[in-house]
């Protein structure tokens, strides 16, 4: 079957998708977006978390055919997605069903590739920068899923409590850290977000 959907603001088409093929496989192997990691393939670890119509989902559990006509945001598109929210919804968000952004408007926040030769990248999203600044990244395998889940939390709960953060990230496992630096990063991003709204 052929599947047409939007990935990071860009219209995409996947041909010859078989019935059991996962969204994760399509993103990584067919579209060259390796940010979402393939780990447990059972929806237990969260390393493949993406946003589907604004909601975090484990891409390994979503059949590719289920995304027909829908919007997917991967870790590669977080910076542009955050920029879109900042421009289109200052102090708010694009929670599922509330954005109403047309495809033409969404093109403003298309994911732009980084230069694989020089390593030069586009600007990071606030949560990505906070993860770096707080030292929340170790091996990096779980990081994409944590970033996507934390981004959704901060969009819908701008000033999360520690309990909110723990709940939002409870589906994401990390084998390297004690989670404290990850919690620090989310707190830092929330504080920066609050500061930006107040100024």
């Amino acid at each position: 079957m052929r599947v047409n959907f939007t990935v990071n603001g860009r219209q995409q088409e996947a041909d010859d998708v078989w019935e059991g093929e996962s969204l994760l496989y399509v993103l990584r192997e067919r579209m060259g977006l390796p940010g979402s990691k393939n780990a447990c393939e059972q929806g237990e670890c969260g390393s493949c978390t993406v946003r589907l119509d604004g909601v975090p989902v484990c891409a390994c559990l979503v059949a590719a055919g289920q995304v027909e006509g829908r919007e997917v945001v991967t870790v590669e598109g977080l910076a542009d997605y955050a920029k879109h929210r900042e421009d289109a919804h200052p102090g708010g968000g694009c929670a599922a069903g509330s954005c109403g952004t047309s495809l033409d408007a969404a093109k403003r926040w298309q994911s732009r590739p980084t230069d694989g030769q020089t390593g030069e990248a586009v600007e990071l999203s606030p949560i990505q920068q906070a993860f770096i600044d707080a030292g929340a990244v170790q091996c990096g395998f779980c990081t994409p899923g944590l970033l996507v889940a934390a981004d959704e939390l901060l969009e819908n709960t701008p000033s999360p409590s520690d309990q909110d953060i723990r709940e939002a990230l409870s589906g994401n496992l990390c084998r390297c850290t004690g989670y404290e630096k990850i919690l620090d990063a989310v707190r830092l991003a929330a504080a920066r977000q609050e500061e930006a709204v107040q100024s």
Side-chain angles (χ1 to χ4, degrees), residues 41-186:
E41 293 185 345
Q42 297 176 4
E44 295 291 328
C45 71
S47 65
C48 66
T49 304
V50 298
R51 291 184 74 173
L52 178 59
D53 292 337
V55 178
V57 298
C58 289
C60 70
L61 296 181
V62 176
Q66 290 179 286
V67 300
E68 176 67 36
R70 299 173 78 183
E71 292 188 33
V72 174
V73 176
T74 69
V75 69
E76 290 93 346
L78 277 186
D80 290 321
Y81 188 60
K83 180 73 173 136
H84 161 75
R85 280 196 314 257
E86 183 182 308
D87 292 345
H89 313 283
C94 299
S98 67
C99 183
T101 305
S102 68
L103 181 58
D104 290 337
K107 288 180 182 174
R108 291 185 325 191
W109 54 272
Q110 276 187 10
S111 180
R112 291 174 302 280
T114 59
D115 185 328
Q117 298 281 326
T118 65
E120 292 180 33
V122 295
E123 183 179 329
L124 297 175
S125 74
I127 189 65
Q128 289 170 314
Q129 190 61 56
F131 261 63
I132 292 170
D133 295 343
V137 178
Q138 286 196 14
C139 83
F141 202 81
C142 67
T143 305
L146 285 163
L147 289 168
V148 171
D151 182 71
E152 190 270 342
L153 167 68
L154 293 175
E155 179 180 338
N156 293 308
T157 310
S159 299
S161 66
D162 281 357
Q163 182 59 36
D164 293 332
I165 298 169
R166 290 180 199 290
E167 178 69 26
L169 302 182
S170 65
N172 298 79
L173 302 179
C174 175
R175 293 183 174 151
C176 298
T177 70
Y179 293 98
E180 281 307 313
K181 293 289 186 186
I182 294 167
L183 297 175
D184 289 346
V186 179

